[in-house]
Amino acid sequence: MGNFLSAIVEQMDRSTAGSEDTARRVLQMCKGSPKNALFFGDDVFTPRLIAETTGAALLATFGERFRAESAAASGLDARTVGAYEVTKTDGGWDFIWYNGLTEPDGVSRRLEQIRGALSDGGTAVFRTLCWLIDPSLDTKSYIERRFGRPEPLDEVLRQAKEQGFLIEDFYIAPKSDWRRNFYEPMSELVRKLEGAVIEDDTASGIGEFNKEVYMFDLHSAEYSLVYYVLKAK
């Protein structure tokens, strides 16, 4: 979305669609009492919730430095890592929560990395952008240009099984995670700039953002973020 909207996102609680309610609902689907846990994502609420709910020794990792700094300021053990990095630990993690969007190396590769970082019998939450139904050509073209290539929901289930996971559950992020908890607060920040004298990059960023919201309003039944709760065999 360019430097302008990246700067806008830095003022928000998260860099992608999501909500505290979704984090709570998905964590309730997870069983067991992990001794240690790894989080990778773009918000600070979810790792705090995991640590407080499970009591696990948690490492919170972020692809964005400012998120890691915010997490560390809140008292979490936090660090900045590569954009798609799954940090390992001796003996494996009992619990991993990985908030992905789309996977340039493919979902199968990311699941393989997560499985390799888990202890035997460990639980993983893997979030990725999925097609919920066959997309229209317009939607497919736009979403792939904007986010990358989503996988169909059922295809992720198949690939998870191939990587040695048992499927415990999955949760489709509701539209409110996108609209109320992401697009609306971003719109408030963007609106403050509308009507002002702005540079071409800013005008282009606002136009791109408005187009994304327009596409979501028209085609959100075709795609969403899906949280898969997986157990390592």
Side-chain angles (χ1 to χ4, degrees), residues 15-36:
S15 301
T16 57
S19 69
E20 295 181 4
D21 181 64
T22 286
R24 290 191 183 95
R25 286 174 181 264
V26 174
L27 191 57
Q28 287 172 357
M29 296 175 177
C30 303
K31 302 171 184 176
S33 301
K35 294 180 180 179
N36 63 9

Side-chain angles (χ1 to χ4, degrees), residues 71-184:
S74 76
L76 289 170
D77 180 9
R79 70 178 64 161
T80 307
V81 298
Y84 303 97
E85 183 176 336
V86 181
T87 305
K88 291 188 175 183
T89 190
D90 291 342
W93 301 99
D94 294 336
F95 183 80
I96 295 176
W97 185 303
Y98 185 93
N99 270 355
L101 188 59
T102 56
E103 301 294 341
D105 297 332
V107 164
S108 181
R109 173 58 178 154
R110 196 69 58 231
L111 289 170
E112 180 184 23
Q113 290 178 320
I114 292 171
R115 178 63 187 90
L118 269 178
S119 60
D120 290 340
T123 296
V125 173
F126 173 62
R127 188 196 77 172
T128 190
L129 185 67
C130 291
W131 297 123
L132 306 181
I133 59 175
D134 289 338
S136 65
L137 291 178
D138 285 349
T139 311
K140 187 175 187 296
S141 175
Y142 177 79
I143 293 298
E144 288 186 353
R145 179 176 64 82
R146 170 66 183 93
F147 296 112
R149 293 188 175 184
E151 293 276 10
L153 187 155
D154 290 347
E155 177 62 17
V156 178
L157 292 173
R158 186 189 68 78
Q159 293 185 36
K161 292 175 183 177
E162 284 189 352
Q163 291 301 327
F165 285 107
L166 297 172
I167 312 299
E168 298 276 278
D169 217 330
F170 66 88
Y171 181 78
I172 300 171
K175 292 182 181 181
S176 57
D177 276 16
W178 296 79
R179 184 177 288 114
R180 186 167 67 240
N181 292 289
F182 190 63
Y183 289 141
E184 288 182 6

Side-chain angles (χ1 to χ4, degrees), residues 28-69:
Q28 287 172 357
M29 296 175 177
C30 303
K31 302 171 184 176
S33 301
K35 294 180 180 179
N36 63 9
L38 173 71
F39 171 83
F40 174 87
D42 54 83
D43 74 287
V44 176
F45 173 81
T46 303
R48 285 209 321 265
L49 177 68
I50 295 167
E52 292 168 2
T53 301
T54 66
L58 180 134
L59 173 63
T61 62
F62 302 85
E64 301 158 308
R65 182 175 298 278
F66 70 93
R67 297 282 181 212
E69 292 172 349

Side-chain angles (χ1 to χ4, degrees), residues 187 190 194 205-215:
S187 292
V190 169
E194 290 183 340
I206 291 175
E208 188 63 30
F209 170 71
N210 289 336
K211 182 175 181 180
E212 182 175 330
V213 175
Y214 172 77
M215 290 296 291

